[in-house]
Amino acid sequence: MRWSKPFVYAAGAAVGALYASTAQAKYFFNFQPPVTPIAQDFLFIHDLFLAIITAIFLLAFGVLLYSLYNHRKSRNAKPATFSAPTTRKLWILSFIPILSLMFIDYVVLGIPSFNSVLAVTNTSHHKLTVVVTASQWKWHYAYPAYGIQYTSSLSTPTDQIYGDARKDKHFLLEVDHPMVLPTNEKVLIVLKSADVIHGFWVPAFGVKMDAIPGYIRKLWVNVEKPGVYRGQCSELCGVGHGFMPIVVRAESSAGFTKWVASERAREAATQEAAEKTWSKAALIDRGKQVFDKNCAACHQPSGLGIPGAFPPIAWGHPFSATPAMLADLKALGFFRDGKIVGGPVKNHIHIVLDGIPGTPMPAFASQLGDADIASVITFERNAFGNNSGDIVQPEQITTARPKSTKHPK
Ligand code: HEC
Ligand SMILES: [Cu+2]
């Protein structure tokens, strides 16, 4: 049979196009390059396994093709009539594959896998501890030895998320404040969850563990190469599940020490911000940023919320939800006659600090500093058409905080 010319050209063009696009996007089908001993072990086991099954596949397929060809009908091949090994030779031939598969499974692959699984759980002799707390939908990192703690949230701009701007390279994989680790040091990660199950997963580290509410779980990493490593929450945890990436920057120990110093300076600045008196414009300015980062995922950038789930922040808009949710809002003075209304400042502060228990409205007491909370409340009371003119100063937040939730910043 001869191929028609147009067909050959079309096929050639298709292959060429495929090749060109692959070359451009630098696709690769493999694990991310491993940067911890555990990830290296896992990759080794994976590669070994792949090599072995490829060899077995080729061997078995070779035998199959050989038999198909050699025992074909035109050569008058007769189908075998036996259904079980009959001779000693056949018994041996049957047992060799079984025994060799068991050897591969339990010895060649089993021993290294068992060792790696044990290694993952061995958190002894760590030098640094980082407490990682997952919540809907951000990560919180604390370094108890240095008195540093902060929230890390998605920094991909909303216009990219809604398709109004070109997606950049690290679309949905960029945060405002990455986790920072020193290289070549065993770091213990204590994993917690503040609400539902989340999953801590950074592929280049090889480890992946669920953060389960009510449990404290431990894993460790020893990053051997400086760089930025990206991962994601790996347990479906609500509508913002795709919006809580994990970004880790690994620094040499000198770089890490410098980072610690700069974090301390930042915390001092936050402290200063909490102590001074702000102008209304400055509060609203800062409040908008705090809102976009911490509240807009639920209450929406427009402040109109999502019917049935997240109430509007814009007052005068209707909100229907379960009677229990509405009762909470009514008791706080934020709901009347089917509509969201502006409740008292005191309750507004209470809602943002302590959340509304039993609903998705989170407590921000341990996540935001006093200046951030004061400014977001001032913003909410003066934006989206809520022209209340109210000003809330950081000092009011400082006094409203219960002692137990004093933010160290
Ligand atoms: C995870 C989703 C979520 C996030 C994030 C969130 N809220 Fe809420 N918020 C809710 C829900 C749900 C309610 C209603 C609870 C109820 O009905 O009792 C609520 C209610 C409120 C209310 C009272 C009702 C209203 O609409 O005025 C205020 C004020 C409020 N949130 C402010 C904030 C602020 C400020 C932030 C950010 C610092 C924030 N929320 C972040 C889910 C969220
Ligand atoms: Cu999650």
Side-chain angles (χ1 to χ4, degrees), residues 137 294-295 298-299 309 311-312 325 328-329 334 348 356 359-362 364 380:
W137 290 284
N294 299 280
C295 324
C298 297
H299 295 290
M325 273 179 101
D328 285 337
L329 290 180
F334 276 77
H348 204 155
I356 303 181
T359 78
M361 175 63 202
F364 285 94
E380 284 188 342

mmCIF file with all atom_site columns, all heavy atoms in Angstrom, residues 137 294-295 298-299 309 311-312 325 328-329 334 348 356 359-362 364 380, ligand 1:
data_model
loop_
_atom_site.group_PDB
_atom_site.id
_atom_site.type_symbol
_atom_site.label_atom_id
_atom_site.label_alt_id
_atom_site.label_comp_id
_atom_site.label_asym_id
_atom_site.label_entity_id
_atom_site.label_seq_id
_atom_site.pdbx_PDB_ins_code
_atom_site.Cartn_x
_atom_site.Cartn_y
_atom_site.Cartn_z
_atom_site.occupancy
_atom_site.B_iso_or_equiv
_atom_site.pdbx_formal_charge
_atom_site.auth_seq_id
_atom_site.auth_comp_id
_atom_site.auth_asym_id
_atom_site.auth_atom_id
_atom_site.pdbx_PDB_model_num
ATOM   1   N  N   . TRP A 1 137 ? -7.761  28.929 54.108 1.00 0.00 ? 137 TRP A N   1
ATOM   2   C  CA  . TRP A 1 137 ? -7.001  28.196 53.152 1.00 0.00 ? 137 TRP A CA  1
ATOM   3   C  C   . TRP A 1 137 ? -5.647  28.839 53.073 1.00 0.00 ? 137 TRP A C   1
ATOM   4   O  O   . TRP A 1 137 ? -5.340  29.560 52.135 1.00 0.00 ? 137 TRP A O   1
ATOM   5   C  CB  . TRP A 1 137 ? -7.717  28.216 51.797 1.00 0.00 ? 137 TRP A CB  1
ATOM   6   C  CG  . TRP A 1 137 ? -8.966  27.374 51.854 1.00 0.00 ? 137 TRP A CG  1
ATOM   7   C  CD1 . TRP A 1 137 ? -9.007  26.000 51.821 1.00 0.00 ? 137 TRP A CD1 1
ATOM   8   C  CD2 . TRP A 1 137 ? -10.318 27.797 51.983 1.00 0.00 ? 137 TRP A CD2 1
ATOM   9   N  NE1 . TRP A 1 137 ? -10.323 25.569 51.912 1.00 0.00 ? 137 TRP A NE1 1
ATOM   10  C  CE2 . TRP A 1 137 ? -11.141 26.647 52.016 1.00 0.00 ? 137 TRP A CE2 1
ATOM   11  C  CE3 . TRP A 1 137 ? -10.913 29.054 52.095 1.00 0.00 ? 137 TRP A CE3 1
ATOM   12  C  CZ2 . TRP A 1 137 ? -12.526 26.723 52.140 1.00 0.00 ? 137 TRP A CZ2 1
ATOM   13  C  CZ3 . TRP A 1 137 ? -12.292 29.105 52.222 1.00 0.00 ? 137 TRP A CZ3 1
ATOM   14  C  CH2 . TRP A 1 137 ? -13.082 27.930 52.233 1.00 0.00 ? 137 TRP A CH2 1
ATOM   15  N  N   . ASN A 1 294 ? -7.036  38.064 53.018 1.00 0.00 ? 294 ASN A N   1
ATOM   16  C  CA  . ASN A 1 294 ? -7.551  37.168 54.049 1.00 0.00 ? 294 ASN A CA  1
ATOM   17  C  C   . ASN A 1 294 ? -9.058  36.932 54.033 1.00 0.00 ? 294 ASN A C   1
ATOM   18  O  O   . ASN A 1 294 ? -9.524  35.978 54.627 1.00 0.00 ? 294 ASN A O   1
ATOM   19  C  CB  . ASN A 1 294 ? -7.182  37.700 55.434 1.00 0.00 ? 294 ASN A CB  1
ATOM   20  C  CG  . ASN A 1 294 ? -5.686  37.779 55.624 1.00 0.00 ? 294 ASN A CG  1
ATOM   21  O  OD1 . ASN A 1 294 ? -5.056  36.777 55.903 1.00 0.00 ? 294 ASN A OD1 1
ATOM   22  N  ND2 . ASN A 1 294 ? -5.125  38.963 55.433 1.00 0.00 ? 294 ASN A ND2 1
ATOM   23  N  N   . CYS A 1 295 ? -9.798  37.812 53.422 1.00 0.00 ? 295 CYS A N   1
ATOM   24  C  CA  . CYS A 1 295 ? -11.252 37.715 53.535 1.00 0.00 ? 295 CYS A CA  1
ATOM   25  C  C   . CYS A 1 295 ? -11.937 37.492 52.188 1.00 0.00 ? 295 CYS A C   1
ATOM   26  O  O   . CYS A 1 295 ? -13.026 36.913 52.130 1.00 0.00 ? 295 CYS A O   1
ATOM   27  C  CB  . CYS A 1 295 ? -11.828 38.980 54.171 1.00 0.00 ? 295 CYS A CB  1
ATOM   28  S  SG  . CYS A 1 295 ? -10.780 39.705 55.451 1.00 0.00 ? 295 CYS A SG  1
ATOM   29  N  N   . CYS A 1 298 ? -13.683 34.219 50.728 1.00 0.00 ? 298 CYS A N   1
ATOM   30  C  CA  . CYS A 1 298 ? -15.055 33.867 51.115 1.00 0.00 ? 298 CYS A CA  1
ATOM   31  C  C   . CYS A 1 298 ? -16.026 35.010 50.830 1.00 0.00 ? 298 CYS A C   1
ATOM   32  O  O   . CYS A 1 298 ? -17.027 34.831 50.163 1.00 0.00 ? 298 CYS A O   1
ATOM   33  C  CB  . CYS A 1 298 ? -15.120 33.523 52.594 1.00 0.00 ? 298 CYS A CB  1
ATOM   34  S  SG  . CYS A 1 298 ? -14.151 32.076 53.013 1.00 0.00 ? 298 CYS A SG  1
ATOM   35  N  N   . HIS A 1 299 ? -15.707 36.200 51.357 1.00 0.00 ? 299 HIS A N   1
ATOM   36  C  CA  . HIS A 1 299 ? -16.655 37.312 51.214 1.00 0.00 ? 299 HIS A CA  1
ATOM   37  C  C   . HIS A 1 299 ? -16.594 37.944 49.833 1.00 0.00 ? 299 HIS A C   1
ATOM   38  O  O   . HIS A 1 299 ? -17.364 38.854 49.545 1.00 0.00 ? 299 HIS A O   1
ATOM   39  C  CB  . HIS A 1 299 ? -16.404 38.352 52.305 1.00 0.00 ? 299 HIS A CB  1
ATOM   40  C  CG  . HIS A 1 299 ? -16.696 37.821 53.686 1.00 0.00 ? 299 HIS A CG  1
ATOM   41  N  ND1 . HIS A 1 299 ? -17.964 37.555 54.119 1.00 0.00 ? 299 HIS A ND1 1
ATOM   42  C  CD2 . HIS A 1 299 ? -15.878 37.472 54.700 1.00 0.00 ? 299 HIS A CD2 1
ATOM   43  C  CE1 . HIS A 1 299 ? -17.917 37.072 55.366 1.00 0.00 ? 299 HIS A CE1 1
ATOM   44  N  NE2 . HIS A 1 299 ? -16.659 37.005 55.741 1.00 0.00 ? 299 HIS A NE2 1
ATOM   45  N  N   . ALA A 1 309 ? -23.717 30.708 51.690 1.00 0.00 ? 309 ALA A N   1
ATOM   46  C  CA  . ALA A 1 309 ? -22.469 30.256 52.304 1.00 0.00 ? 309 ALA A CA  1
ATOM   47  C  C   . ALA A 1 309 ? -21.735 31.390 53.016 1.00 0.00 ? 309 ALA A C   1
ATOM   48  O  O   . ALA A 1 309 ? -21.447 31.306 54.211 1.00 0.00 ? 309 ALA A O   1
ATOM   49  C  CB  . ALA A 1 309 ? -21.564 29.645 51.249 1.00 0.00 ? 309 ALA A CB  1
ATOM   50  N  N   . PRO A 1 311 ? -21.696 35.483 53.861 1.00 0.00 ? 311 PRO A N   1
ATOM   51  C  CA  . PRO A 1 311 ? -22.541 36.687 53.812 1.00 0.00 ? 311 PRO A CA  1
ATOM   52  C  C   . PRO A 1 311 ? -21.831 37.862 53.152 1.00 0.00 ? 311 PRO A C   1
ATOM   53  O  O   . PRO A 1 311 ? -20.604 37.920 53.144 1.00 0.00 ? 311 PRO A O   1
ATOM   54  C  CB  . PRO A 1 311 ? -22.803 36.986 55.291 1.00 0.00 ? 311 PRO A CB  1
ATOM   55  C  CG  . PRO A 1 311 ? -21.673 36.359 56.021 1.00 0.00 ? 311 PRO A CG  1
ATOM   56  C  CD  . PRO A 1 311 ? -21.272 35.154 55.223 1.00 0.00 ? 311 PRO A CD  1
ATOM   57  N  N   . PRO A 1 312 ? -22.612 38.784 52.600 1.00 0.00 ? 312 PRO A N   1
ATOM   58  C  CA  . PRO A 1 312 ? -22.012 39.993 52.036 1.00 0.00 ? 312 PRO A CA  1
ATOM   59  C  C   . PRO A 1 312 ? -21.400 40.832 53.153 1.00 0.00 ? 312 PRO A C   1
ATOM   60  O  O   . PRO A 1 312 ? -21.846 40.751 54.295 1.00 0.00 ? 312 PRO A O   1
ATOM   61  C  CB  . PRO A 1 312 ? -23.198 40.749 51.424 1.00 0.00 ? 312 PRO A CB  1
ATOM   62  C  CG  . PRO A 1 312 ? -24.339 39.811 51.424 1.00 0.00 ? 312 PRO A CG  1
ATOM   63  C  CD  . PRO A 1 312 ? -24.069 38.787 52.476 1.00 0.00 ? 312 PRO A CD  1
ATOM   64  N  N   . MET A 1 325 ? -26.958 29.677 61.280 1.00 0.00 ? 325 MET A N   1
ATOM   65  C  CA  . MET A 1 325 ? -26.009 30.707 60.860 1.00 0.00 ? 325 MET A CA  1
ATOM   66  C  C   . MET A 1 325 ? -26.631 32.090 61.014 1.00 0.00 ? 325 MET A C   1
ATOM   67  O  O   . MET A 1 325 ? -26.006 33.010 61.537 1.00 0.00 ? 325 MET A O   1
ATOM   68  C  CB  . MET A 1 325 ? -25.601 30.505 59.395 1.00 0.00 ? 325 MET A CB  1
ATOM   69  C  CG  . MET A 1 325 ? -24.440 29.574 59.185 1.00 0.00 ? 325 MET A CG  1
ATOM   70  S  SD  . MET A 1 325 ? -24.094 29.405 57.423 1.00 0.00 ? 325 MET A SD  1
ATOM   71  C  CE  . MET A 1 325 ? -22.707 30.500 57.235 1.00 0.00 ? 325 MET A CE  1
ATOM   72  N  N   . ASP A 1 328 ? -26.787 33.338 64.630 1.00 0.00 ? 328 ASP A N   1
ATOM   73  C  CA  . ASP A 1 328 ? -25.508 33.892 65.116 1.00 0.00 ? 328 ASP A CA  1
ATOM   74  C  C   . ASP A 1 328 ? -25.369 35.346 64.687 1.00 0.00 ? 328 ASP A C   1
ATOM   75  O  O   . ASP A 1 328 ? -25.022 36.218 65.473 1.00 0.00 ? 328 ASP A O   1
ATOM   76  C  CB  . ASP A 1 328 ? -24.326 33.126 64.499 1.00 0.00 ? 328 ASP A CB  1
ATOM   77  C  CG  . ASP A 1 328 ? -24.137 31.759 65.142 1.00 0.00 ? 328 ASP A CG  1
ATOM   78  O  OD1 . ASP A 1 328 ? -24.587 31.593 66.287 1.00 0.00 ? 328 ASP A OD1 1
ATOM   79  O  OD2 . ASP A 1 328 ? -23.548 30.883 64.483 1.00 0.00 ? 328 ASP A OD2 1
ATOM   80  N  N   . LEU A 1 329 ? -25.629 35.560 63.400 1.00 0.00 ? 329 LEU A N   1
ATOM   81  C  CA  . LEU A 1 329 ? -25.448 36.900 62.849 1.00 0.00 ? 329 LEU A CA  1
ATOM   82  C  C   . LEU A 1 329 ? -26.415 37.893 63.488 1.00 0.00 ? 329 LEU A C   1
ATOM   83  O  O   . LEU A 1 329 ? -26.064 39.032 63.780 1.00 0.00 ? 329 LEU A O   1
ATOM   84  C  CB  . LEU A 1 329 ? -25.635 36.891 61.331 1.00 0.00 ? 329 LEU A CB  1
ATOM   85  C  CG  . LEU A 1 329 ? -24.531 36.187 60.540 1.00 0.00 ? 329 LEU A CG  1
ATOM   86  C  CD1 . LEU A 1 329 ? -24.835 36.238 59.055 1.00 0.00 ? 329 LEU A CD1 1
ATOM   87  C  CD2 . LEU A 1 329 ? -23.186 36.836 60.820 1.00 0.00 ? 329 LEU A CD2 1
ATOM   88  N  N   . PHE A 1 334 ? -25.658 41.751 63.137 1.00 0.00 ? 334 PHE A N   1
ATOM   89  C  CA  . PHE A 1 334 ? -25.229 41.907 61.749 1.00 0.00 ? 334 PHE A CA  1
ATOM   90  C  C   . PHE A 1 334 ? -26.265 41.423 60.733 1.00 0.00 ? 334 PHE A C   1
ATOM   91  O  O   . PHE A 1 334 ? -25.966 41.254 59.561 1.00 0.00 ? 334 PHE A O   1
ATOM   92  C  CB  . PHE A 1 334 ? -23.890 41.188 61.527 1.00 0.00 ? 334 PHE A CB  1
ATOM   93  C  CG  . PHE A 1 334 ? -22.706 42.026 61.925 1.00 0.00 ? 334 PHE A CG  1
ATOM   94  C  CD1 . PHE A 1 334 ? -22.374 42.189 63.272 1.00 0.00 ? 334 PHE A CD1 1
ATOM   95  C  CD2 . PHE A 1 334 ? -21.941 42.689 60.976 1.00 0.00 ? 334 PHE A CD2 1
ATOM   96  C  CE1 . PHE A 1 334 ? -21.297 42.975 63.641 1.00 0.00 ? 334 PHE A CE1 1
ATOM   97  C  CE2 . PHE A 1 334 ? -20.857 43.472 61.337 1.00 0.00 ? 334 PHE A CE2 1
ATOM   98  C  CZ  . PHE A 1 334 ? -20.533 43.625 62.678 1.00 0.00 ? 334 PHE A CZ  1
ATOM   99  N  N   . HIS A 1 348 ? -18.048 43.603 65.850 1.00 0.00 ? 348 HIS A N   1
ATOM   100 C  CA  . HIS A 1 348 ? -17.257 43.448 64.624 1.00 0.00 ? 348 HIS A CA  1
ATOM   101 C  C   . HIS A 1 348 ? -15.837 42.975 64.994 1.00 0.00 ? 348 HIS A C   1
ATOM   102 O  O   . HIS A 1 348 ? -15.291 42.039 64.402 1.00 0.00 ? 348 HIS A O   1
ATOM   103 C  CB  . HIS A 1 348 ? -17.203 44.790 63.878 1.00 0.00 ? 348 HIS A CB  1
ATOM   104 C  CG  . HIS A 1 348 ? -16.939 44.651 62.405 1.00 0.00 ? 348 HIS A CG  1
ATOM   105 N  ND1 . HIS A 1 348 ? -17.334 45.593 61.476 1.00 0.00 ? 348 HIS A ND1 1
ATOM   106 C  CD2 . HIS A 1 348 ? -16.305 43.696 61.686 1.00 0.00 ? 348 HIS A CD2 1
ATOM   107 C  CE1 . HIS A 1 348 ? -16.946 45.211 60.271 1.00 0.00 ? 348 HIS A CE1 1
ATOM   108 N  NE2 . HIS A 1 348 ? -16.320 44.064 60.380 1.00 0.00 ? 348 HIS A NE2 1
ATOM   109 N  N   . ILE A 1 356 ? -16.706 32.999 64.108 1.00 0.00 ? 356 ILE A N   1
ATOM   110 C  CA  . ILE A 1 356 ? -18.046 32.645 64.581 1.00 0.00 ? 356 ILE A CA  1
ATOM   111 C  C   . ILE A 1 356 ? -18.064 31.126 64.691 1.00 0.00 ? 356 ILE A C   1
ATOM   112 O  O   . ILE A 1 356 ? -18.132 30.429 63.679 1.00 0.00 ? 356 ILE A O   1
ATOM   113 C  CB  . ILE A 1 356 ? -19.146 33.173 63.625 1.00 0.00 ? 356 ILE A CB  1
ATOM   114 C  CG1 . ILE A 1 356 ? -19.001 34.693 63.474 1.00 0.00 ? 356 ILE A CG1 1
ATOM   115 C  CG2 . ILE A 1 356 ? -20.533 32.802 64.157 1.00 0.00 ? 356 ILE A CG2 1
ATOM   116 C  CD1 . ILE A 1 356 ? -20.039 35.351 62.575 1.00 0.00 ? 356 ILE A CD1 1
ATOM   117 N  N   . THR A 1 359 ? -19.293 27.964 62.319 1.00 0.00 ? 359 THR A N   1
ATOM   118 C  CA  . THR A 1 359 ? -19.449 28.386 60.921 1.00 0.00 ? 359 THR A CA  1
ATOM   119 C  C   . THR A 1 359 ? -18.045 28.495 60.323 1.00 0.00 ? 359 THR A C   1
ATOM   120 O  O   . THR A 1 359 ? -17.063 28.463 61.060 1.00 0.00 ? 359 THR A O   1
ATOM   121 C  CB  . THR A 1 359 ? -20.123 29.772 60.808 1.00 0.00 ? 359 THR A CB  1
ATOM   122 O  OG1 . THR A 1 359 ? -19.147 30.785 61.086 1.00 0.00 ? 359 THR A OG1 1
ATOM   123 C  CG2 . THR A 1 359 ? -21.283 29.923 61.777 1.00 0.00 ? 359 THR A CG2 1
ATOM   124 N  N   . PRO A 1 360 ? -17.951 28.645 59.005 1.00 0.00 ? 360 PRO A N   1
ATOM   125 C  CA  . PRO A 1 360 ? -16.606 28.756 58.415 1.00 0.00 ? 360 PRO A CA  1
ATOM   126 C  C   . PRO A 1 360 ? -15.880 30.064 58.754 1.00 0.00 ? 360 PRO A C   1
ATOM   127 O  O   . PRO A 1 360 ? -14.709 30.206 58.433 1.00 0.00 ? 360 PRO A O   1
ATOM   128 C  CB  . PRO A 1 360 ? -16.863 28.674 56.908 1.00 0.00 ? 360 PRO A CB  1
ATOM   129 C  CG  . PRO A 1 360 ? -18.225 28.090 56.771 1.00 0.00 ? 360 PRO A CG  1
ATOM   130 C  CD  . PRO A 1 360 ? -18.999 28.522 57.979 1.00 0.00 ? 360 PRO A CD  1
ATOM   131 N  N   . MET A 1 361 ? -16.534 31.020 59.395 1.00 0.00 ? 361 MET A N   1
ATOM   132 C  CA  . MET A 1 361 ? -15.859 32.290 59.697 1.00 0.00 ? 361 MET A CA  1
ATOM   133 C  C   . MET A 1 361 ? -14.728 32.036 60.699 1.00 0.00 ? 361 MET A C   1
ATOM   134 O  O   . MET A 1 361 ? -14.961 31.698 61.852 1.00 0.00 ? 361 MET A O   1
ATOM   135 C  CB  . MET A 1 361 ? -16.880 33.287 60.269 1.00 0.00 ? 361 MET A CB  1
ATOM   136 C  CG  . MET A 1 361 ? -16.281 34.612 60.734 1.00 0.00 ? 361 MET A CG  1
ATOM   137 S  SD  . MET A 1 361 ? -15.510 35.543 59.376 1.00 0.00 ? 361 MET A SD  1
ATOM   138 C  CE  . MET A 1 361 ? -14.382 36.589 60.280 1.00 0.00 ? 361 MET A CE  1
ATOM   139 N  N   . PRO A 1 362 ? -13.453 32.161 60.231 1.00 0.00 ? 362 PRO A N   1
ATOM   140 C  CA  . PRO A 1 362 ? -12.325 31.790 61.081 1.00 0.00 ? 362 PRO A CA  1
ATOM   141 C  C   . PRO A 1 362 ? -11.981 32.865 62.124 1.00 0.00 ? 362 PRO A C   1
ATOM   142 O  O   . PRO A 1 362 ? -12.324 34.035 61.954 1.00 0.00 ? 362 PRO A O   1
ATOM   143 C  CB  . PRO A 1 362 ? -11.162 31.628 60.108 1.00 0.00 ? 362 PRO A CB  1
ATOM   144 C  CG  . PRO A 1 362 ? -11.583 32.221 58.819 1.00 0.00 ? 362 PRO A CG  1
ATOM   145 C  CD  . PRO A 1 362 ? -13.032 32.615 58.895 1.00 0.00 ? 362 PRO A CD  1
ATOM   146 N  N   . PHE A 1 364 ? -9.252  35.229 63.586 1.00 0.00 ? 364 PHE A N   1
ATOM   147 C  CA  . PHE A 1 364 ? -8.013  35.785 63.045 1.00 0.00 ? 364 PHE A CA  1
ATOM   148 C  C   . PHE A 1 364 ? -7.045  36.236 64.136 1.00 0.00 ? 364 PHE A C   1
ATOM   149 O  O   . PHE A 1 364 ? -5.991  36.786 63.842 1.00 0.00 ? 364 PHE A O   1
ATOM   150 C  CB  . PHE A 1 364 ? -8.314  36.948 62.082 1.00 0.00 ? 364 PHE A CB  1
ATOM   151 C  CG  . PHE A 1 364 ? -8.836  36.464 60.761 1.00 0.00 ? 364 PHE A CG  1
ATOM   152 C  CD1 . PHE A 1 364 ? -10.190 36.365 60.523 1.00 0.00 ? 364 PHE A CD1 1
ATOM   153 C  CD2 . PHE A 1 364 ? -7.960  36.081 59.758 1.00 0.00 ? 364 PHE A CD2 1
ATOM   154 C  CE1 . PHE A 1 364 ? -10.677 35.890 59.309 1.00 0.00 ? 364 PHE A CE1 1
ATOM   155 C  CE2 . PHE A 1 364 ? -8.424  35.611 58.542 1.00 0.00 ? 364 PHE A CE2 1
ATOM   156 C  CZ  . PHE A 1 364 ? -9.793  35.516 58.309 1.00 0.00 ? 364 PHE A CZ  1
ATOM   157 N  N   . GLU A 1 380 ? -13.787 47.618 56.073 1.00 0.00 ? 380 GLU A N   1
ATOM   158 C  CA  . GLU A 1 380 ? -15.132 47.046 55.859 1.00 0.00 ? 380 GLU A CA  1
ATOM   159 C  C   . GLU A 1 380 ? -16.236 48.045 56.196 1.00 0.00 ? 380 GLU A C   1
ATOM   160 O  O   . GLU A 1 380 ? -17.265 48.094 55.533 1.00 0.00 ? 380 GLU A O   1
ATOM   161 C  CB  . GLU A 1 380 ? -15.328 45.790 56.712 1.00 0.00 ? 380 GLU A CB  1
ATOM   162 C  CG  . GLU A 1 380 ? -14.611 44.575 56.160 1.00 0.00 ? 380 GLU A CG  1
ATOM   163 C  CD  . GLU A 1 380 ? -14.961 43.293 56.908 1.00 0.00 ? 380 GLU A CD  1
ATOM   164 O  OE1 . GLU A 1 380 ? -15.478 43.373 58.039 1.00 0.00 ? 380 GLU A OE1 1
ATOM   165 O  OE2 . GLU A 1 380 ? -14.717 42.220 56.339 1.00 0.00 ? 380 GLU A OE2 1
HETATM 166 C  C1  . HEC B 2 .   ? -13.420 30.744 55.253 1.00 0.00 ? 1   HEC B C1  1
HETATM 167 C  C2  . HEC B 2 .   ? -14.380 31.735 54.867 1.00 0.00 ? 1   HEC B C2  1
HETATM 168 C  C3  . HEC B 2 .   ? -14.298 33.099 55.521 1.00 0.00 ? 1   HEC B C3  1
HETATM 169 C  C4  . HEC B 2 .   ? -13.222 33.932 55.577 1.00 0.00 ? 1   HEC B C4  1
HETATM 170 C  C5  . HEC B 2 .   ? -11.821 33.701 55.027 1.00 0.00 ? 1   HEC B C5  1
HETATM 171 C  C6  . HEC B 2 .   ? -13.685 35.118 56.241 1.00 0.00 ? 1   HEC B C6  1
HETATM 172 N  N1  . HEC B 2 .   ? -15.003 34.985 56.581 1.00 0.00 ? 1   HEC B N1  1
HETATM 173 FE FE1 . HEC B 2 .   ? -16.133 36.372 57.565 1.00 0.00 ? 1   HEC B FE1 1
HETATM 174 N  N2  . HEC B 2 .   ? -17.694 35.118 57.545 1.00 0.00 ? 1   HEC B N2  1
HETATM 175 C  C7  . HEC B 2 .   ? -17.724 33.864 57.005 1.00 0.00 ? 1   HEC B C7  1
HETATM 176 C  C8  . HEC B 2 .   ? -19.008 33.258 57.254 1.00 0.00 ? 1   HEC B C8  1
HETATM 177 C  C9  . HEC B 2 .   ? -19.446 31.876 56.801 1.00 0.00 ? 1   HEC B C9  1
HETATM 178 C  C10 . HEC B 2 .   ? -19.751 34.182 57.985 1.00 0.00 ? 1   HEC B C10 1
HETATM 179 C  C11 . HEC B 2 .   ? -21.167 34.026 58.499 1.00 0.00 ? 1   HEC B C11 1
HETATM 180 C  C12 . HEC B 2 .   ? -21.216 33.184 59.750 1.00 0.00 ? 1   HEC B C12 1
HETATM 181 C  C13 . HEC B 2 .   ? -22.630 33.078 60.280 1.00 0.00 ? 1   HEC B C13 1
HETATM 182 O  O1  . HEC B 2 .   ? -23.544 33.104 59.450 1.00 0.00 ? 1   HEC B O1  1
HETATM 183 O  O2  . HEC B 2 .   ? -22.791 33.014 61.475 1.00 0.00 ? 1   HEC B O2  1
HETATM 184 C  C14 . HEC B 2 .   ? -18.911 35.351 58.126 1.00 0.00 ? 1   HEC B C14 1
HETATM 185 C  C15 . HEC B 2 .   ? -19.320 36.512 58.748 1.00 0.00 ? 1   HEC B C15 1
HETATM 186 C  C16 . HEC B 2 .   ? -18.573 37.665 58.845 1.00 0.00 ? 1   HEC B C16 1
HETATM 187 C  C17 . HEC B 2 .   ? -19.041 38.919 59.369 1.00 0.00 ? 1   HEC B C17 1
HETATM 188 C  C18 . HEC B 2 .   ? -20.431 39.213 59.892 1.00 0.00 ? 1   HEC B C18 1
HETATM 189 C  C19 . HEC B 2 .   ? -21.446 39.229 58.778 1.00 0.00 ? 1   HEC B C19 1
HETATM 190 C  C20 . HEC B 2 .   ? -21.185 40.246 57.685 1.00 0.00 ? 1   HEC B C20 1
HETATM 191 O  O3  . HEC B 2 .   ? -21.254 39.829 56.513 1.00 0.00 ? 1   HEC B O3  1
HETATM 192 O  O4  . HEC B 2 .   ? -20.864 41.411 57.964 1.00 0.00 ? 1   HEC B O4  1
HETATM 193 C  C21 . HEC B 2 .   ? -18.009 39.803 59.292 1.00 0.00 ? 1   HEC B C21 1
HETATM 194 C  C22 . HEC B 2 .   ? -17.996 41.250 59.704 1.00 0.00 ? 1   HEC B C22 1
HETATM 195 C  C23 . HEC B 2 .   ? -16.879 39.071 58.736 1.00 0.00 ? 1   HEC B C23 1
HETATM 196 N  N3  . HEC B 2 .   ? -17.263 37.786 58.483 1.00 0.00 ? 1   HEC B N3  1
HETATM 197 C  C24 . HEC B 2 .   ? -15.641 39.632 58.519 1.00 0.00 ? 1   HEC B C24 1
HETATM 198 C  C25 . HEC B 2 .   ? -14.570 38.942 57.973 1.00 0.00 ? 1   HEC B C25 1
HETATM 199 C  C26 . HEC B 2 .   ? -13.255 39.510 57.828 1.00 0.00 ? 1   HEC B C26 1
HETATM 200 C  C27 . HEC B 2 .   ? -12.842 40.910 58.229 1.00 0.00 ? 1   HEC B C27 1
HETATM 201 C  C28 . HEC B 2 .   ? -12.480 38.547 57.271 1.00 0.00 ? 1   HEC B C28 1
HETATM 202 C  C29 . HEC B 2 .   ? -11.004 38.620 56.914 1.00 0.00 ? 1   HEC B C29 1
HETATM 203 C  C30 . HEC B 2 .   ? -10.097 39.130 57.902 1.00 0.00 ? 1   HEC B C30 1
HETATM 204 C  C31 . HEC B 2 .   ? -13.318 37.372 57.055 1.00 0.00 ? 1   HEC B C31 1
HETATM 205 N  N4  . HEC B 2 .   ? -14.582 37.661 57.496 1.00 0.00 ? 1   HEC B N4  1
HETATM 206 C  C32 . HEC B 2 .   ? -12.884 36.207 56.470 1.00 0.00 ? 1   HEC B C32 1
HETATM 207 C  C33 . HEC B 2 .   ? -16.683 33.238 56.308 1.00 0.00 ? 1   HEC B C33 1
HETATM 208 C  C34 . HEC B 2 .   ? -15.409 33.758 56.161 1.00 0.00 ? 1   HEC B C34 1
#
